Amino acid sequence: MSITDLLNNAPDTEPERQYYFIREAAKIIEKKEQELGRKLTCCVTTFGCQMNARDSEKLLGILKQIGYEETDSENADFVVYNTCTVRENANNKVYGRLGILHGYKKKNKDMMIALCGCMMQEPTVVEHLQESYKFVDLIFGTHNLYKFAELFTTSLLNKKGMIIDIWKDTDKIVENLPIQRKYPFKSGVNISFGCNNFCTYCIVPYVRGRERSRKPEDIVNEIKGLVADGVVEVMLLGQNVNSYGVGLEEKVTFAELLKMVNDIEGLKRIRFMTPHPKDLSDELIEAMATLPKVCKHMHLPLQSGSTNILKKMNRRYTKESYLELVDKLKKRIPDVAITTDIIVGFPGETEEDFLDTMDVVDKVHYDSAFTFIYSKRTGTPAATMPDQVPDDVVKDRFDRLLALVQKHGHEKVKGYEGTVQEILVEEINEQDSSLVTGKMSNNITVHFPGDASLIGNIVKVKLNCCKGFYYIGELAE
Ligand code: SAH
Ligand code: SF4
Ligand code: F3S
């Protein structure tokens, strides 16, 4: 069939239109397999955050229905890079690995390469790819990911060069497309897309668009379906989960959504990522304190402990208000695990500002922290701010901060030694197959003797021996 015929015959409504393209692509792939006398393989590589990981599961779900077999090797017939651009090194990684893919493609004339995700939403990136990476077959963005089956099929039939389809923004949410989960027993679930916060260092609002929430009934129905399929733990995903409700006709708060999810029978654990300190309501703290399935783990990005820098970052809280929030949280939920993200070297950060960050870290005593060196993102307000901090100063501050958060992390983890905890068993240990590996509700990893029959179950484990950031334990029942 020609591309024109294919498009003319396609239904106008979604997701029916995508299911049509899946069927058409499946026919083409089946024919190709017969010609080659073998199965075709695909590989989806994820860069970036949980949001991207979930998107990759959607891509893989479609590829599997089309007939591809999944492989870990990027020397495959169809390779997708789902990219991230939150820091410059995320982009560099993609360019580096594309060179290797080109080598594979020269040896396999049937190989197709697609690029999608946040990095593709940057016009300069796409221009660069068009000039210097002509061997790429398909480029699409974050807003039209649901159209993957259509774009893929068009690309399959296309004989002349790269297909590029990038949208600037969207208000659309297309539900009920195929998904291939990475883990049988746990899953990410999108609750909102995009971000309206515009922290001045951050590129996410530009590449993920305006914030929009899924309807609560769609979220609940998806989770019910997941539970019926063996899922016991969900991670509710959004750039700012606690502003959930934006754009809904009937306003539902994030805490109310948590209650609805908590009521789902058969579900055992609920996590969420990421709340913003400015929107952390008493109602949410109360929900975490009282809803039994909600893990007592709050990831509360600090970014900086200096009120002056927080203002320049447009974070809309102060050092003092953040500390008050943490106090309130700890009072209401004494065993809460608090983790964070911190950026070192934001433009204009003085030694005094940095010491404020160290002070907050010292006072909060985080269970763990992701620490990042500030990365200049073109197009964000911070990129053109004066007084960018010299590399050697940033490196020195970064090392001091890392030493402190690691010291606290060790102390926190050590505090559980000898206790019995509920562990969700996730996999057979990679190094020692007589052990299984699982997670406490606060995300600490525990290894203990066991077998594959435990995977997906929550079991009681005695934490015998602390090994820095993880435990070796034994079944307690
Ligand atoms: N929406 C989430 C996650 C955003 S990206 C949030 O607000 O927390 C994850 C983390 O990357 C951020 O928390 C921040 O610490 C870091 N980050 C974002 N932009 C960055 C930049 N330009 N340089 C360094 N780190 C950055
Ligand atoms: Fe970026 Fe801030 Fe939005 Fe998080 S809340 S995605 S850091 S702009
Ligand atoms: Fe990266 Fe996009 Fe996530 S920029 S951190 S993959 S939202």
Side-chain angles (χ1 to χ4, degrees), residues 124-230:
T124 49
V125 167
V126 177
E127 278 162 30
H128 182 52
L129 289 166
Q130 272 177 298
E131 263 167 41
S132 310
Y133 296 81
K134 293 192 167 59
F135 58 91
V136 172
D137 299 278
L138 170 63
I139 296 179
F140 57 101
T142 54
H143 304 303
N144 56 349
L145 185 115
Y146 78 88
K147 261 185 77 182
F148 173 58
E150 176 168 353
L151 292 166
F152 171 82
T153 318
T154 323
S155 179
L156 207 55
L157 294 170
N158 175 51
K159 299 281 180 279
K160 37 182 194 319
M162 209 184 257
I163 289 186
I164 302 173
D165 190 6
I166 311 281
W167 298 358
K168 279 213 160 63
D169 204 350
T170 184
D171 52 8
K172 233 179 161 143
I173 299 178
V174 177
E175 300 278 351
N176 298 323
L177 283 163
I179 297 188
Q180 173 71 39
R181 288 199 312 280
K182 190 169 173 199
Y183 299 96
F185 51 85
K186 67 171 182 180
S187 180
V189 173
N190 300 105
I191 64 163
S192 58
F193 301 93
C195 182
N196 288 351
N197 288 327
F198 290 94
C199 303
T200 55
Y201 50 82
C202 184
I203 201 161
V204 171
Y206 303 89
V207 296
R208 285 276 173 177
R210 295 295 58 73
E211 188 169 336
R212 52 214 181 275
S213 307
R214 282 178 77 194
K215 291 196 194 100
E217 57 270 28
D218 287 338
I219 297 169
V220 168
N221 283 338
E222 178 179 351
I223 299 175
K224 282 184 178 162
L226 289 168
V227 170
D229 199 31

Side-chain angles (χ1 to χ4, degrees), residues 225-260:
L226 289 168
V227 170
D229 199 31
V231 165
V232 291
E233 175 180 302
V234 289
M235 165 84 86
L236 306 179
L237 298 172
Q239 292 299 349
N240 181 2
V241 283
N242 45 342
S243 68
Y244 173 78
V246 170
L248 286 180
E249 274 169 29
E250 251 175 82
K251 178 97 177 133
V252 172
T253 66
F254 179 58
E256 286 164 350
L257 179 72
L258 279 178
K259 285 190 197 94
M260 293 180 200

Side-chain angles (χ1 to χ4, degrees), residues 86-87 195 199 201-204 238-240 274-276 299 301 303 315 341-343 372-377:
V86 75
R87 285 168 287 275
C195 182
C199 303
Y201 50 82
C202 184
I203 201 161
V204 171
Q239 292 299 349
N240 181 2
T274 310
H276 193 301
H299 184 69
Q303 312 302 4
R315 289 292 288 179
D341 292 349
I342 300 168
I343 298 175
F372 303 107
I373 286 179
Y374 167 72
S375 170
K376 194 196 264 192
R377 308 313 289 129

Side-chain angles (χ1 to χ4, degrees), residues 293-433:
K293 294 177 188 173
V294 175
C295 291
K296 293 186 172 39
H297 171 202
M298 192 73 85
H299 184 69
L300 205 55
L302 170 68
Q303 312 302 4
S304 167
S306 150
T307 297
N308 169 37
I309 293 294
L310 286 168
K311 194 159 194 302
K312 290 187 185 162
M313 286 178 162
N314 190 31
R315 289 292 288 179
R316 287 175 271 177
Y317 52 86
T318 62
K319 175 183 182 183
E320 290 71 28
S321 68
Y322 184 94
L323 285 171
E324 276 166 28
L325 199 57
V326 168
D327 269 349
K328 198 156 61 171
L329 191 61
K330 284 181 174 171
K331 272 208 185 89
R332 185 65 186 91
I333 313 171
D335 55 343
V336 67
I338 305 177
T339 58
T340 200
D341 292 349
I342 300 168
I343 298 175
V344 179
F346 183 85
E349 184 188 76
T350 61
E351 177 64 17
E352 209 186 335
D353 292 320
F354 175 68
L355 290 176
D356 270 331
T357 299
M358 293 289 270
D359 187 38
V360 175
V361 168
D362 222 18
K363 291 195 163 103
V364 178
H365 233 87
Y366 293 103
D367 289 72
S368 71
F370 293 107
T371 48
F372 303 107
I373 286 179
Y374 167 72
S375 170
K376 194 196 264 192
R377 308 313 289 129
T378 310
T380 62
T384 49
M385 283 182 187
D387 305 323
Q388 303 275 334
V389 186
D391 288 351
D392 56 333
V393 176
V394 177
K395 178 79 179 69
D396 172 63
R397 289 180 190 161
F398 183 83
D399 291 345
R400 282 148 69 198
L401 176 65
L402 191 65
L404 187 63
V405 297
Q406 285 188 342
K407 178 171 155 279
H408 291 165
H410 282 302
E411 286 164 11
K412 281 277 181 175
V413 176
K414 185 92 180 150
Y416 293 95
E417 201 160 52
T419 63
V420 171
Q421 299 288 336
E422 291 195 333
I423 308 294
L424 171 61
V425 185
E426 302 206 332
E427 58 202 0
I428 299 283
N429 186 291
E430 278 173 20
Q431 272 92 44
D432 178 349
S433 63

